[in-house]
């Protein structure tokens, strides 16, 4: 049993000591079986939310009406959910309600895929009612029960299936694949935010090539923001190992460049990205074009900033089939840190200084002078000191 489960054993033991059933469930059980790193340990129990809150000192109610409470033990958060079944789903998105039950099997039966419907007891024994272990061994994504029913309940499960293909290097079972194709139109009921989360995880997976291929070939592109006419371009993008990039901003930059999006801001707003993300991606794309023309210059490094320069270089290397090595990262950092200034605020002069030097009132000339001084300092043509800049102004006609 992995360390993460051993640390959680006291929580499980306390529930059982007070007469409740309790099991580790979900992704953590799957990941231990697959030998992958474990993130969050979740627990399913016959205890109701009220009983859980009475039993543990530190709890956070994140949805007790749906059976879920967070318990904090030794600084670690454990999500404890009461055994439950779900009522009919509304708009192919969410259940209209839940009913608490006393059966682990009934609880696992409501889950999406067999590999996520396994449980583990305190002794490390796997409880597997739906052949999740077999599917994991065969590297297969299959739904619990009828795929048509699972996707009709929550259409986002179709994108989750593709995401697990990408993250785990699995393939879809034939029935799961066919049900996605026949139910793909249900994705129109899913919010852009939920689609974005799954799409970003798909691009980040080591099996992203197969994931993107499935997105194109199942017709999913028809219901993803701005991708309706981009099937062939996405198949082309599927040739690239996006997972080698380290951030969503980098992956969006590379993806947009490959599939040829015009109106970048409008496209990204459809995906509900934040203004900060949109700004970073636009900046990356701008300097990606510059990078294709030449290596990094002092001025481009200064204008881009270190984070943008590193992200842009990572994308450039991916698209060019070049390694983005540690030596390249060190080289760019050294170039950047060697610049005389890194922001306009670091210049030795400001607008008031220029007006005093020139004996002139404020006007458009101020920003023009400041920009020329900024470039001269960055390029090493003048020392970043008031005296040197004043001498430059005397000797040069900047008008």
């Amino acid at each position: 049993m992995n360390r993460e489960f051993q640390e959680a054993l006291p929580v499980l033991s306390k529930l059982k000591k007070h007469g409740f059933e309790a099991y580790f469930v979900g992704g953590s059980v799957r990941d231990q079986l697959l030998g992958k790193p474990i993130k969050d340990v979740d627990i399913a129990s016959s205890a109701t939310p009220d009983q859980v809150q009475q039993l543990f000192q530190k709890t956070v109610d994140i949805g007790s009406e749906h059976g879920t409470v967070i318990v904090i033990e030794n600084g670690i958060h454990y999500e404890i959910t009461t055994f439950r079944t779900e009522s009919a789903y509304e708009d192919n998105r969410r259940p209209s309600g839940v009913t608490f039950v006393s059966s682990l099997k009934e609880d696992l039966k409501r889950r999406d895929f067999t590999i996520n419907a396994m449980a583990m007891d305190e002794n490390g024994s796997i409880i597997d009612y739906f052949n999740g272990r077999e599917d994991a061994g065969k590297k297969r994504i299959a739904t619990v029960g009828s795929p048509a029913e699972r996707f009709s309940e929550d259409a986002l499960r179709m994108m989750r299936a593709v995401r697990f293909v990408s993250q785990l290097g699995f393939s879809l079972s034939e029935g799961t694949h066919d049900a996605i194709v026949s139910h793909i139109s249900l994705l129109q009921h899913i919010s852009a935010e939920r689609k974005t989360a799954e799409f970003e995880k798909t691009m980040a997976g080591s099996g992203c090539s197969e994931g993107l291929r499935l997105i194109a070939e199942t017709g999913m592109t028809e219901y993803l923001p701005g991708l309706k006419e981009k099937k062939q371009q996405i198949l082309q993008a599927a040739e690239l190992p996006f997972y080698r990039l380290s951030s969503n901003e980098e992956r969006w930059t590379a993806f947009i460049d490959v599939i040829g999006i015009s109106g970048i801001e409008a496209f990204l707003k459809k995906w509900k990205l934040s203004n900060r993300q949109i700004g970073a991606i636009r900046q990356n794309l701008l300097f990606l074009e510059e990078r294709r023309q030449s290596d990094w210059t002092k001025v481009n490094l200064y204008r881009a900033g270190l984070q943008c320069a590193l992200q842009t270089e990572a994308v450039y290397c991916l698209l060019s089939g070049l390694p983005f090595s540690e030596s390249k990262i060190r080289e760019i950092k050294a170039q950047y840190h060697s610049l005389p200034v890194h922001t306009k605020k670091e210049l030795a002069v400001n607008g008031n200084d220029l007006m005093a030097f020139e004996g002139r009132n404020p006007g458009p000339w101020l920003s023009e002078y400041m920009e020329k001084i900024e470039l001269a300092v960055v390029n090493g043509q003048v020392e970043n000191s008031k005296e040197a800049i004043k001498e430059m102004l005397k000797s040069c006609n900047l008008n």
Side-chain angles (χ1 to χ4, degrees):
M1 186 180 292
N2 288 26
R3 174 183 55 83
E4 291 82 1
F5 290 116
Q6 292 174 358
E7 291 173 344
L9 275 176
V11 178
L12 217 63
S13 298
K14 193 169 189 176
L15 287 163
K16 292 179 70 66
K17 180 181 176 181
H18 286 80
F20 302 110
E21 288 185 63
Y23 302 89
F24 300 122
V25 294
S28 59
V29 178
R30 175 199 70 220
D31 289 342
Q32 174 170 269
L33 197 63
L34 296 173
K36 292 183 174 292
I38 291 171
K39 297 177 183 177
D40 301 317
V41 173
D42 294 333
I43 295 169
S45 175
S46 58
T48 65
D50 286 344
Q51 291 168 328
V52 171
Q53 289 173 307
Q54 290 170 12
L55 201 54
F56 295 93
Q57 286 188 341
K58 295 182 179 180
T59 64
V60 180
D61 186 340
I62 61 167
S64 58
E65 70 277 12
H66 294 108
T68 303
V69 174
I70 286 178
V71 167
I72 305 171
E73 286 285 301
N74 297 319
I76 303 174
H77 290 57
Y78 300 103
E79 198 171 283
I80 301 180
T81 302
T82 305
F83 296 159
R84 69 190 192 190
T85 59
E86 295 169 340
S87 307
Y89 278 63
E90 298 175 346
D91 300 325
N92 312 106
R93 290 180 293 178
R94 64 179 72 88
S96 55
V98 300
T99 303
F100 299 151
V101 296
S102 58
S103 165
L104 172 66
K105 185 175 182 179
E106 284 300 306
D107 179 82
L108 297 176
K109 186 178 180 181
R110 69 180 172 81
R111 296 174 185 261
D112 51 8
F113 306 110
T114 60
I115 59 170
N116 297 331
M118 294 180 286
M120 185 171 71
D121 66 18
E122 70 274 18
N123 299 313
S125 298
I126 301 291
I127 298 99
D128 179 19
Y129 296 113
F130 306 105
N131 299 316
R133 188 194 289 265
E134 179 184 345
D135 286 334
K138 293 182 177 179
K139 296 187 174 182
R140 179 172 61 199
I141 303 296
T143 60
V144 176
S146 164
E149 289 181 18
R150 296 292 82 77
F151 297 148
S152 295
E153 289 167 350
D154 184 355
L156 189 70
R157 286 171 173 166
M158 293 184 280
M159 289 194 73
R160 279 172 57 81
V162 171
R163 185 246 291 186
F164 283 123
V165 165
S166 175
Q167 287 182 327
L168 301 176
F170 283 21
S171 60
L172 298 177
S173 71
E174 184 177 351
T176 301
H177 179 280
D178 292 348
I180 289 176
V181 172
S182 59
H183 290 76
I184 202 69
S185 64
L186 296 179
L187 273 178
Q188 65 188 299
H189 302 297
I190 302 300
S191 70
E193 290 87 348
R194 295 180 79 200
K195 291 174 182 176
T196 298
E198 296 300 327
F199 188 76
E200 288 181 338
K201 290 174 183 176
T202 298
M203 282 201 294
S206 59
C208 60
S209 291
E210 178 63 12
L212 288 173
R213 187 187 66 78
L214 284 168
I215 284 173
E217 293 183 349
T218 59
M220 207 170 279
T221 50
E222 294 293 305
Y223 303 96
L224 296 181
L227 299 183
K228 191 170 184 178
E229 307 295 333
K230 296 290 186 179
K231 177 179 177 178
Q232 292 306 315
Q233 291 90 330
I234 291 174
L235 287 173
Q236 181 182 350
E239 301 298 319
L240 290 170
F242 290 98
Y243 68 91
R244 293 182 184 172
L245 298 171
S246 59
S247 70
N248 284 326
E249 287 81 8
E250 290 174 15
R251 287 185 281 272
W252 278 112
T253 301
F255 180 75
I256 287 171
D257 184 77
V258 172
I259 67 173
I261 293 294
S262 58
I264 296 162
E265 186 170 348
F267 172 77
L268 293 173
K269 281 185 175 180
K270 289 178 183 177
W271 286 90
K272 304 299 183 182
L273 268 64
S274 68
N275 289 335
R276 181 197 64 78
Q277 288 175 302
I278 292 172
I281 294 162
R282 288 185 63 183
Q283 185 89 333
N284 288 349
L285 286 162
L286 173 67
F287 283 99
L288 180 61
E289 288 306 307
E290 297 283 343
R291 179 65 183 88
R292 284 184 168 126
Q293 302 305 315
S294 68
D295 209 337
W296 289 99
T297 65
K298 291 179 179 180
V299 170
N300 277 351
L301 267 178
Y302 172 78
R303 286 176 169 165
L306 183 58
Q307 182 178 20
C308 174
L310 289 172
Q311 289 189 348
T312 301
E313 185 68 21
V315 173
Y316 172 78
C317 289
L318 182 84
L319 298 179
S320 304
L322 301 171
F324 185 50
S325 61
E326 285 297 324
S327 62
K328 174 57 73 173
I329 294 172
R330 287 194 297 270
E331 178 187 331
I332 290 175
K333 285 183 175 180
Q335 282 181 273
Y336 179 79
H337 290 307
S338 71
L339 294 175
V341 294
H342 301 95
T343 68
K344 190 175 288 189
K345 291 180 180 179
E346 294 179 12
L347 289 173
V349 298
N350 56 34
N352 290 329
D353 295 320
L354 293 192
M355 287 188 289
F357 293 162
E358 298 293 302
R360 297 173 64 181
N361 292 324
W365 69 273
L366 260 181
S367 59
E368 294 173 13
Y369 272 41
M370 284 300 298
E371 183 176 350
K372 290 174 180 177
I373 291 167
E374 187 179 13
L375 293 179
V377 170
V378 169
N379 277 319
Q381 296 168 334
V382 63
E383 180 186 331
N384 185 34
S385 68
K386 281 189 178 182
E387 294 75 15
I389 293 170
K390 188 174 183 180
E391 285 302 313
M392 183 190 80
L393 291 176
K394 286 181 181 179
S395 62
C396 300
N397 181 10
L398 296 185
N399 290 309

